[in-house]
Amino acid sequence: MALNYEYHQYLDKYLNLRKSYRQGFVKFVSLILAASLTIISCSNNEISKSSSVANSSPNQDTLNIWWDKGFNPEEDEALRQLVSNWENTTGKKINLVFYTTDSLGEKIRRSLKAGLPPDIVMSFKAESSPNSRLAWDNKLLDVSDIINSVKNRYPKDILKTVNFYNNIEKKRSYYAVPIHQGTMHIYYWRDLLAEVGRSEEDIPKEWDAFWEFWKQVQDDLRAKNQSKIYSLGFTISPEAGDTYYLFEQMLEAYDVKIVDSRGKLLIDDVKVRLGIIKVLNWYRNFYQQGYIPPAALKWLNPDNNRSILNREIVMTPNSTLSIPVAVRQDADIYKNKLGILEFPNKPSGEPMRHLTMAEQAAILSESKNQKLAKEFLKYLVQTQVMKDYLTKAGGRNSPAMETVWQDSFWTNPEDPHISYATKTFTEGRIRYFHTAQNPAYSRVLDRNIWGEAISKVIVKQISPEKAADEAIQKIKLIYEEWEK
């Protein structure tokens, strides 16, 4: 398996730091550096089993698979092991290529245009992934036979996320397979709360009181000469997917429905406009009051991870367990210092539903190896195979199959982060994005309309009312263009 030189350098540094840690030479600093290097290695690097996959001629015994690159080496190694097991079992070969989350969609589009597509693609940005749009254009293979064979192992709602409409064949069907999922939690430093005489038990459940609590923590830390620390690690740049993810979570908090469960656009409702304005004001107030770091205006997806690991912020929302996984080698930090929370109750007093993304594997309809691709996905969705893969990957992503939850790895109370996330899923406090119902909304997220609106309000100091109106017009235009 050929890795590029730059990735080798980062990986070697990461492993050396972990070795140093185990030998007792470094502790927290080495973990932070290791986490940073892990994230950096995900930036623009691509690693593949074959350096010429994109140009290789079709081979009936070889699969070309493009997979979303993990945030830590264990994730990629777990997939390589899975692939190796399948190769040994079947005698077939796989050319496996990892692409970064932000580059994968464009790579797929270019491969289709060039007539050299891979067979299987796995996208992490499922909430704005091209899958619903590809299915609309008849670019994905119907995999209903795979889904139906394991349908009873999945929650019903998660299957809706892969049930796409094909506008060429005029039908709705299953065009992808859920692999794993992630939902947003809040991560924070318990020891920073302790510095100002507070603990987890003091964190309110009510909406306004919850956010006032974190503001007061920053004020008290600043009074103790921690002048550079910020309380709220909100990503607010137009470039980051984390920006629209959190904004959508805030829309959920204020019961603002941009689309209904069928994907129908509801944005002409005056209540929707007022809700968007309210959320934009919510962001602006925190920023103007000095509780969000100015650097957050330029953050990309990994930067809130870096900032909390560097103890520049007290708390941050994140859609996977990448933050605790980065410090798992230090039991004291993992179990005692780093905390995890669900969001507070909505302003209405109702419990919050956590927005959830289900990552999916799909077979391109122009695949030259459709039969072999289906064989691989049928192998992957076996309960034991999926258990082995996700546990070896380290737990950053949670299972999509209910049968996999039964493994003690996900429910062990001795693991405060994985077991907490599992509880959020299994007790039903989640809601999936509605992009599968209408691919136009996945385009709204992909364009990061909400990130642009936040930037206008904070940077250009445009009124929330005007920014909301401009966002509404852009969304309507996207829908109009899609429906032509």
Side-chain angles (χ1 to χ4, degrees):
M1 191 172 300
L3 306 185
N4 65 43
Y5 178 74
E6 186 179 9
Y7 179 80
H8 261 311
Q9 287 185 311
Y10 287 131
L11 184 57
D12 288 342
K13 290 180 182 179
Y14 172 78
L15 294 175
N16 287 336
L17 282 168
R18 285 182 61 177
K19 181 179 179 181
S20 297
Y21 168 76
R22 288 193 295 268
Q23 292 174 340
F25 293 122
V26 292
K27 289 191 73 174
F28 183 76
V29 173
S30 67
L31 282 163
I32 298 305
L33 290 174
S36 299
L37 288 169
T38 303
I39 294 168
I40 290 169
S41 72
C42 301
S43 58
N44 294 311
N45 300 309
E46 302 162 6
I47 47 179
S48 65
K49 256 187 139 181
S50 170
S51 60
S52 59
V53 171
N55 298 316
S56 59
S57 58
N59 186 319
Q60 295 303 312
D61 292 327
T62 302
L63 270 181
N64 288 326
I65 298 179
W66 292 2
W67 208 266
D68 188 62
K69 190 183 183 321
F71 269 50
N72 61 68
E74 287 83 358
E75 292 177 59
D76 297 342
E77 185 54 38
L79 185 63
R80 290 192 195 96
Q81 185 61 57
L82 184 151
V83 164
S84 178
N85 292 343
W86 185 81
E87 289 178 328
N88 292 336
T89 300
T90 64
K92 310 295 185 181
K93 295 298 180 182
I94 289 178
N95 286 324
L96 176 62
V97 184
F98 291 95
Y99 286 114
T100 60
T101 298
D102 293 330
S103 68
L104 185 55
E106 181 60 28
K107 296 289 185 182
I108 294 169
R109 286 189 287 272
R110 289 181 180 180
S111 74
L112 288 169
K113 188 175 181 179
L116 292 168
D119 299 301
I120 296 175
V121 293
M122 165 71 175
S123 175
F124 178 73
K125 290 176 68 175
E127 77 286 352
S128 66
S129 76
N131 283 351
S132 60
R133 303 194 292 275
L134 289 170
W136 177 278
D137 291 330
N138 199 30
K139 297 296 184 183
L140 295 184
L141 189 69
D142 190 324
V143 292
S144 296
D145 54 334
I146 299 175
I147 293 293
N148 289 332
S149 69
V150 292
K151 205 170 185 177
N152 61 340
R153 302 178 194 173
Y154 285 104
K156 290 182 180 180
D157 285 346
I158 203 171
L159 292 179
K160 295 177 183 177
T161 69
V162 294
N163 190 245
F164 303 128
Y165 186 75
N166 184 321
N167 194 45
I168 305 301
E169 298 189 0
K170 305 300 180 185
K171 70 169 185 176
R172 183 172 284 276
S173 191
Y174 295 116
Y175 286 97
V177 176
I179 304 300
H180 49 67
Q181 58 184 334
T183 197
M184 189 168 281
H185 289 90
I186 290 171
Y187 300 93
Y188 69 98
W189 289 116
R190 289 193 181 100
D191 56 322
L192 288 179
L193 298 191
E195 281 191 34
V196 292
R198 292 177 177 80
S199 69
E200 187 170 352
E201 288 71 28
D202 298 320
I203 302 174
K205 301 291 186 183
E206 297 75 27
W207 184 258
D208 289 335
F210 179 87
W211 301 108
E212 287 299 320
F213 172 87
W214 297 105
K215 289 166 61 177
Q216 189 61 52
V217 168
Q218 176 178 316
D219 293 344
D220 292 348
L221 286 170
R222 294 282 180 95
K224 294 174 70 70
N225 295 321
Q226 296 232 29
S227 59
K228 294 183 179 180
I229 200 164
Y230 291 86
S231 57
L232 305 176
F234 296 166
T235 303
I236 52 176
S237 74
E239 292 79 25
D242 284 353
T243 300
Y244 66 69
Y245 201 128
L246 181 59
F247 195 96
E248 289 278 323
Q249 184 69 65
M250 293 305 105
L251 291 175
E252 169 67 27
Y254 285 97
D255 295 315
V256 182
K257 294 183 179 180
I258 305 298
V259 295
D260 64 16
S261 60
R262 296 170 297 172
K264 181 182 177 182
L265 194 61
L266 305 174
I267 209 159
D268 282 329
D269 187 334
V270 65
K271 292 180 181 178
V272 172
R273 176 181 181 270
L274 293 175
I276 295 171
I277 293 169
K278 184 176 292 186
V279 174
L280 287 171
N281 263 315
W282 186 84
Y283 276 94
R284 182 179 68 171
N285 291 340
F286 283 134
Y287 185 83
Q288 290 182 343
Q289 293 165 4
Y291 294 104
I292 300 175
L297 287 166
K298 296 182 179 180
W299 279 356
L300 300 178
N301 287 335
D303 289 321
N304 66 317
N305 293 46
R306 288 195 185 102
S307 192
I308 193 167
L309 292 174
N310 289 329
R311 301 174 71 84
E312 297 164 353
I313 52 178
V314 181
M315 64 92 97
T316 188
N318 211 52
S319 58
T320 71
L321 291 166
S322 58
I323 292 171
V325 165
V327 297
R328 187 161 47 196
Q329 294 297 326
D330 189 313
D332 183 42
I333 295 175
Y334 187 77
K335 292 186 176 182
N336 302 319
K337 292 182 179 179
L338 184 67
I340 181 173
L341 287 174
E342 290 185 342
F343 280 86
N345 293 331
K346 296 181 177 184
S348 66
E350 294 294 315
M352 176 73 87
R353 295 188 302 173
H354 290 60
L355 276 177
T356 301
M357 53 187 177
E359 293 79 32
Q360 313 154 2
I363 302 172
L364 292 174
S365 59
E366 296 179 23
S367 161
K368 306 300 188 296
N369 299 300
Q370 294 182 6
K371 182 180 178 181
L372 200 59
K374 280 193 172 185
E375 288 179 10
F376 177 78
L377 290 186
K378 287 178 182 177
Y379 172 80
L380 178 56
V381 296
Q382 295 178 62
T383 297
Q384 191 57 50
V385 173
M386 192 68 77
K387 278 184 181 180
D388 290 344
Y389 166 53
L390 293 178
T391 54
K392 288 176 182 177
R396 181 174 76 93
N397 300 302
S398 299
M401 284 184 167
E402 289 180 321
T403 50
V404 177
W405 291 119
Q406 299 167 9
D407 193 287
S408 60
F409 178 86
W410 306 102
T411 57
N412 181 6
E414 294 298 313
D415 190 314
H417 299 282
I418 291 178
S419 64
Y420 192 97
T422 299
K423 194 174 180 181
T424 302
F425 283 107
T426 57
E427 295 186 357
R429 292 189 290 275
I430 62 171
R431 172 177 78 76
Y432 295 99
F433 284 84
H434 294 317
T435 50
Q437 286 66 35
N438 193 320
Y441 201 66
S442 69
R443 182 61 178 158
V444 170
L445 299 182
D446 198 37
R447 283 273 311 277
N448 214 339
I449 300 299
W450 303 131
E452 293 176 359
I454 293 171
S455 180
K456 288 177 181 179
V457 169
I458 292 178
V459 178
K460 298 182 179 179
Q461 298 186 343
I462 292 174
S463 72
E465 290 78 8
K466 184 177 180 182
D469 289 338
E470 291 179 0
I472 288 170
Q473 287 306 117
K474 288 180 180 179
I475 292 171
K476 291 172 70 173
L477 181 60
I478 289 172
Y479 266 71
E480 289 170 5
E481 291 175 346
W482 193 265
E483 292 168 359
K484 285 181 180 179

